[in-house]
Amino acid sequence: MKKLWTSVLAVLFILLLSACGSSEEGSSSDEGKTEIKVGATSVPHAEILQQAKPILKEKGISLKIEEYQDYILPNKDLSEGRIDANYFQHIPYLKAQEAEHGYDFANLGGIHIEPMGIYSKNISSIDEIEEGTTVIMSRSVADHGRILSLLEKEGLIKLDESIDKVKATVDDIVENPKNLKFDTGVDAAFLPQTYKREEDALVAINTNYAIQAGLNPSEDALILEDSESPYVNVVAAKSEDKDSEALQTLVEVLHSEEIQTYIKEEYDGAVVPVDGK
């Protein structure tokens, strides 16, 4: 009986050692591998992230891209932990969303600018804009100051000098010599269809939606924002994750020469890379 128990204990000891060995091997095989899930609108953000994917893989980071077609869900999902970061919004929109919803987000870095364009099917020059022409903008108030500043730059309106023009609204117009009318009730994603339907209107379209609709901002826009725009598109994460090594590496890769060259060549001025926050 004593020999039997000795044999049983020996077998159990061997099995225990084997199990420990397997566990150690399993952990070492996963060592250095990290997965991050990033939300992005399809164009150009998700396309740019696709270019970053193989570079990140070489650094031991697996990137999963969650595509969105609107501007609301990416921040909601980030706040609820469904994604680790998002890449779709400019700084004024990020700040407006934080103020409205109480989000605690961090700007991890600016990646590119998408110059805002104002388009028209039938109006081909500023001089052709008639009295009472309608200007159609998205319902996103964070973009209103941006669009109104473009109109002011062309001498079509004048804004109250005492306000921060990034936060300007239609109510801040103090001079409107052509009596332009403003429609601010359209979802951003539907602006290209509005442009095709409202032939005699001015339609301000975010560049990502313009590109998706087959428009070339540098050629088709009647009025186009320049590269000095403060509306830099950023990678955002929850503040508690701002020091995440994987997310910091993502931003570094998006700032790399390879990705910046891709942006310049792929979008031909419709998307302009930046190299900082």
Side-chain angles (χ1 to χ4, degrees):
M1 181 64 73
K2 185 176 180 180
K3 289 182 179 179
L4 176 62
W5 277 112
T6 301
S7 299
V8 169
L9 289 172
V11 170
L12 288 174
F13 184 66
I14 291 169
L15 289 173
L16 181 61
L17 287 176
S18 298
C20 290
S22 297
S23 174
E24 289 173 3
E25 287 173 10
S27 67
S28 66
S29 66
D30 292 335
E31 188 178 351
K33 291 186 178 179
T34 304
E35 180 177 287
I36 54 175
K37 190 175 184 181
V38 179
T41 42
S42 298
V43 179
H45 307 82
E47 293 176 343
I48 294 170
L49 288 174
Q50 285 289 353
Q51 299 301 310
K53 221 172 182 178
I55 304 173
L56 287 166
K57 187 176 181 180
E58 292 176 0
K59 297 176 181 292
I61 298 171
S62 173
L63 171 62
K64 184 175 182 181
I65 304 167
E66 184 74 19
E67 291 194 32
Y68 294 86
Q69 301 304 321
D70 65 37
Y71 292 159
I72 303 299
L73 286 177
N75 279 333
K76 185 174 184 293
D77 285 355
L78 177 59
S79 71
E80 294 175 357
R82 294 190 180 94
I83 53 179
D84 300 303
N86 65 41
Y87 170 41
F88 80 101
Q89 64 194 323
H90 55 60
I91 294 172
Y93 184 79
L94 171 62
K95 290 181 177 178
Q97 285 275 293
E98 288 178 315
E100 181 177 353
H101 299 287
Y103 295 142
D104 184 15
F105 293 160
N107 167 9
L108 301 188
I111 310 303
H112 73 264
I113 295 168
E114 299 172 22
M116 174 70 78
I118 299 177
Y119 302 78
S120 179
K121 288 287 285 184
N122 288 345
I123 302 170
S124 58
S125 73
I126 301 297
D127 295 336
E128 291 180 12
I129 299 173
E130 297 183 355
E131 175 90 10
T133 295
T134 298
V135 179
I136 301 174
M137 307 187 289
S138 84
R139 64 176 75 250
S140 173
V141 178
D143 276 337
H144 291 181
R146 183 180 193 181
I147 297 159
L148 294 172
S149 294
L150 284 176
L151 295 173
E152 183 179 53
K153 188 175 181 180
E154 296 296 334
L156 294 168
I157 61 168
K158 187 172 181 180
L159 295 168
D160 185 339
E161 293 181 357
S162 68
I163 57 123
D164 178 356
K165 291 183 182 180
V166 167
K167 299 178 180 177
T169 69
V170 173
D171 293 336
D172 295 311
I173 298 172
V174 294
E175 292 182 20
N176 186 2
K178 287 186 177 286
N179 193 29
L180 299 176
K181 301 184 183 343
F182 293 87
D183 179 350
T184 61
V186 182
D187 285 334
F190 294 118
L191 288 168
Q193 292 94 311
T194 303
Y195 156 76
K196 292 174 182 177
R197 184 176 65 250
E198 303 290 341
E199 296 186 347
D200 295 315
L202 298 173
V203 185
I205 307 177
N206 301 77
T207 290
N208 59 318
Y209 292 125
I211 294 172
Q212 281 181 283
L215 293 168
N216 183 327
S218 61
E219 295 178 3
D220 298 325
L222 179 64
I223 304 171
L224 187 65
E225 198 171 33
D226 61 31
S227 60
E228 299 303 312
S229 166
Y231 293 84
V232 179
N233 282 235
V234 302
V235 173
K238 294 171 90 169
S239 291
E240 64 194 61
D241 296 326
K242 65 185 175 65
D243 295 322
S244 161
E245 187 175 341
L247 294 178
Q248 292 291 338
T249 301
L250 168 66
V251 173
E252 289 172 9
V253 168
L254 292 174
H255 284 158
S256 68
E257 184 177 351
E258 184 174 345
I259 297 300
Q260 293 208 344
T261 299
Y262 166 80
I263 293 172
K264 291 174 185 175
E265 293 179 351
E266 180 69 16
Y267 301 106
D268 193 26
V271 181
V272 181
V274 299
D275 59 5
K277 293 186 179 182

